[in-house]
Amino acid sequence: MEIEWRLRKVMASRDVWTATQLRELLIQRAGFELSLQSVDVLIKKQPIQVKVATLQALCTTLRCTPNELFGIDTPRDVSLVEPDTTESRGEQ
């Protein structure tokens, strides 16, 4: 399973194009301050972890849900059941 950080896509869909714009909106809409460098890193790199407060501020600012910020790509042929090896070898 892969998790995709979609902040840049969500920003673009809201006509927010730069770290400076996002930083200003975070302050205006959510009362949340991050350094310009921190905002830039959030936009450019998939984070290893995201604080809940940061996630809430991003969602408030961009008027989105966490589901929009994270894309989850799951393998299609996942089975939780182990294959029966006796049948596949022709044993009974």
Side-chain angles (χ1 to χ4, degrees):
M1 169 176 46
E2 289 191 32
I3 298 175
E4 176 189 9
W5 181 237
R6 295 181 174 169
L7 177 59
R8 187 181 292 259
K9 290 178 185 177
V10 174
M11 287 172 56
S13 72
R14 290 358 184 231
D15 289 326
V16 179
W17 302 103
T18 67
T20 302
Q21 285 178 305
L22 180 59
R23 183 175 186 273
E24 289 173 7
L25 287 172
L26 280 165
I27 294 168
Q28 290 171 5
R29 294 181 181 172
F32 192 80
E33 280 200 54
L34 281 175
S35 69
L36 187 56
Q37 182 181 5
S38 294
V39 174
D40 193 54
V41 169
L42 274 175
I43 294 169
K44 291 180 179 176
K45 295 182 182 177
Q46 179 155 322
I48 295 170
Q49 62 184 4
V50 179
K51 291 182 180 180
V52 173
T54 304
L55 186 59
Q56 288 175 325
L58 287 169
C59 289
T60 298
T61 299
L62 296 171
R63 297 181 174 110
C64 68
T65 66
N67 288 347
E68 292 174 86
L69 291 174
F70 294 101
I72 299 174
D73 182 24
T74 56
R76 294 179 190 254
D77 58 343
V78 173
S79 174
L80 299 178
V81 179
E82 294 283 328
D84 185 359
T85 54
T86 57
E87 263 187 50
S88 61
R89 290 185 294 199
E91 298 176 14
Q92 295 192 14

